[in-house]
Amino acid sequence: MSKRRPLVAGNWKMNGSRAESATLVSAIKQGMSTVAKAEAAVCPPFILVPLAAEMLAGSAVAWGGQNLSVHKSGAYTGEVSGPMLKDYGCTYVIVGHSERRAYYGEDDVLVADKYAAAQAVGLIPILCVGETLQEREASHTETVVARQLDAVINKHGIGSFKNAVIAYEPVWAIGTGKTATPQQAQDVHRFIRGRLAASDKAVAENMRILYGGSMKGSNAKELLAQPDIDGGLIGGASLQAEEFLTICRAAD
Ligand code: PGA
């Protein structure tokens, strides 16, 4: 692990009642007293963001959204905007998660627009990239990841990456229990950093690149030991406080 401060972010997806979320948030908040260096964040469903905000205010744990509208306000039924997330004290917002790309038709252009909408209000986008199994098997991993990154670099400039986090999430590893091997993950992380370095070495060196895809307490250590893996974006395991905290400790 480098000088970059590790970040472990929980992507709760569409899970949790108010009561369950309060229990989870409270346990994570308490458990963070055993974590020295790593930063932790939780990204609950929109409707639970106010609960997280209220419980985590002034604590070491940050919070964020899982998505946002490209618009600031207006007649967009069902949408939630960047200013609304900011109003609730969010630090981060996940952008371009593969589930949104696959199920909600978010393409590279829309993802780049959401990335900019987040930064426009001072939110830090966690930009997700990653290949499907089919793409990996066809040896297209680097082409796909490069295309997803370039869509943002070309539109908003390499300088915008000073205020961003990248998450490499191979689609075949998400929610499947099939984790990328540390070497597979490291190879893509190094590729991503190299891609940024081609435009700006300092930005590349400071960029936090998280791994996501079935990361859990038992495999976090070896993934996080890789030189270009700076933390994790955690789905399933972020719903159990002890698992999540074990990953935070491994990132320390
Ligand atoms: P998972 O999800 O940890 O459940 O694989 C990760 C993600 O989708 O962010």
Side-chain angles (χ1 to χ4, degrees):
M1 194 80 68
S2 71
K3 58 182 166 37
R4 297 177 289 269
R5 186 180 179 200
L7 170 64
V8 179
N11 173 12
W12 293 7
K13 309 194 179 183
M14 197 174 70
N15 292 293
S17 65
R18 271 200 297 170
E20 285 162 352
S21 304
T23 306
L24 179 56
V25 166
S26 152
I28 291 171
K29 189 174 154 180
Q30 278 192 338
M32 281 307 284
S33 60
T34 61
V35 177
K37 182 179 166 208
E39 181 185 359
V42 295
C43 298
F46 287 138
I47 200 164
L48 293 165
V49 165
L51 176 92
E54 193 173 317
M55 292 184 69
L56 292 172
S59 80
V61 183
W63 59 95
Q66 298 173 11
N67 179 33
L68 82 168
S69 169
V70 293
H71 305 287
K72 285 199 158 127
S73 66
Y76 302 103
T77 301
E79 292 287 276
V80 170
S81 72
M84 291 170 181
L85 293 175
K86 192 69 188 165
D87 193 29
Y88 277 91
C90 288
T91 302
Y92 297 101
V93 61
I94 299 170
V95 165
H97 189 279
S98 63
E99 286 153 16
R100 298 225 47 98
R101 293 180 191 257
Y103 308 150
Y104 302 98
E106 295 198 4
D107 59 13
D108 290 338
V109 174
L110 182 63
V111 171
D113 287 345
K114 290 191 172 194
Y115 170 98
Q119 289 190 335
V121 292
L123 293 164
I124 300 173
I126 300 176
L127 173 67
C128 299
V129 297
E131 82 288 1
T132 63
L133 184 59
Q134 210 183 10
E135 289 163 341
R136 172 163 285 263
E137 283 174 346
S139 304
H140 291 157
T141 299
E142 293 189 351
T143 316
V144 169
V145 169
R147 189 202 75 221
Q148 292 170 333
L149 275 181
D150 290 353
V152 180
I153 298 174
N154 295 340
K155 200 157 177 188
H156 304 300
I158 188 70
S160 73
F161 282 82
K162 283 181 193 148
N163 299 309
V165 172
I166 293 172
Y168 168 58
E169 299 206 304
V171 178
W172 48 272
I174 295 178
T176 56
K178 228 174 124 178
T179 319
T181 65
Q183 193 57 52
Q184 279 175 322
Q186 165 58 24
D187 288 348
V188 182
H189 280 236
R190 198 189 40 203
F191 172 76
I192 292 171
R193 203 176 303 286
R195 192 92 188 166
L196 300 174
S199 300
D200 190 318
K201 282 208 171 61
V203 165
E205 195 47 43
N206 292 323
M207 173 55 64
R208 292 189 291 181
I209 308 176
L210 316 183
Y211 169 79
S214 298
M215 196 194 266
K216 48 183 188 270
S218 58
N219 61 24
K221 236 194 165 82
E222 32 169 22
L223 284 161
L224 293 165
Q226 299 302 312
D228 288 297
I229 301 185
D230 308 307
L233 182 56
I234 319 298
S238 74
L239 298 171
Q240 293 162 288
E242 239 346 281
E243 277 289 307
F244 185 73
L245 288 164
T246 303
I247 299 169
C248 293
R249 282 183 218 111
D252 239 358

